[in-house]
Amino acid sequence: NAKLKSKQDQLAEVMGKVRALKESCDKTVAEKEALDNQLQQTKDRLARAKVLTSGLSGEQVRWRHDSQVMQERLHRLVGDAFLSAACVSYYGAFTGEYRHELVQRWVSLVREKNIPVSDGFSLRSTLGDPVLIRQWNINGLPTDAVSIDSGILVKWGQRWPLMIDPQGQA
């Protein structure tokens, strides 16, 4: 009996070690699975980051171009704002043809003073809001330059503008 008891104690000790090793193995396997999941998640993130980076590299070209355009517009802002103020203040009462002549004269005078101004200056491009202009057209405003410029004069003028309606559309 003593021998049996000794062997049973040894067996229990070995079984305890086996249980401890099994628990250690299970813990290690669980850690390995967690690391595998983390590795896969990291690989997926890296793949998405590469896709995003390659997509944004195309945007970089557009952003660089837009930045350059904005710099050029900023350089011409003083002259464009000056001409816009002159248009709002003075040319409401004139026909479209005479308005065009006035703007051409003003542009040449501004350039003589070495003030930068847009090549194709128009009140519509400086003070016009394309969405608002489209709404005006939907509401019945003709799409010609005189009508749109007159709408801009009404919108931005601080006083009641004096305008004529040479087309008889009002």
Side-chain angles (χ1 to χ4, degrees):
N1 278 336
K3 200 173 184 180
L4 179 62
K5 175 89 168 117
S6 165
K7 295 294 179 186
Q8 285 178 341
D9 288 343
Q10 284 178 351
L11 180 62
E13 187 180 322
V14 168
M15 292 302 283
K17 286 181 181 178
V18 167
R19 232 180 287 119
L21 286 173
K22 185 170 176 10
E23 287 174 5
S24 176
C25 179
D26 290 345
K27 185 178 177 183
T28 304
V29 168
E31 286 178 19
K32 180 194 173 288
E33 287 177 5
L35 287 173
D36 284 344
N37 289 340
Q38 188 177 9
L39 176 66
Q40 186 59 44
Q41 187 179 31
T42 302
K43 284 180 180 178
D44 292 344
R45 285 180 180 164
L46 183 60
R48 288 191 302 269
K50 284 181 182 178
V51 169
L52 182 61
T53 302
S54 66
L56 289 178
S57 68
E59 287 294 305
Q60 180 184 14
V61 172
R62 186 179 64 83
W63 291 340
R64 192 168 281 149
H65 176 263
D66 288 351
S67 174
Q68 185 180 14
V69 168
M70 291 302 285
Q71 287 295 326
E72 291 169 4
R73 288 186 71 193
L74 184 62
H75 177 71
R76 296 184 308 258
L77 180 65
V78 172
D80 290 351
F82 176 75
L83 289 176
S84 295
C87 290
V88 169
S89 298
Y90 297 109
Y91 88 6
F94 301 116
T95 64
E97 190 176 309
Y98 190 68
R99 287 179 181 184
H100 182 73
E101 288 177 28
L102 275 176
V103 169
Q104 293 309 312
R105 279 194 235 159
W106 292 340
V107 166
S108 61
L109 288 171
V110 166
R111 285 196 174 130
E112 284 176 15
K113 302 293 183 191
N114 294 322
I115 299 172
V117 65
S118 295
D119 289 332
F121 172 82
S122 72
L123 191 61
R124 181 181 197 163
S125 65
T126 307
L127 292 180
D129 175 4
V131 175
L132 184 60
I133 291 170
R134 183 70 182 137
Q135 187 61 47
W136 291 343
N137 296 143
I138 290 170
N139 291 337
L141 183 71
T143 57
D144 63 285
V146 174
S147 298
I148 291 172
D149 284 351
S150 295
I152 292 170
L153 294 177
V154 170
K155 169 135 177 64
W156 289 102
Q158 295 294 316
R159 300 168 288 175
W160 292 101
L162 173 62
M163 289 183 275
I164 60 169
D165 183 21
Q167 291 99 351
Q169 296 175 348

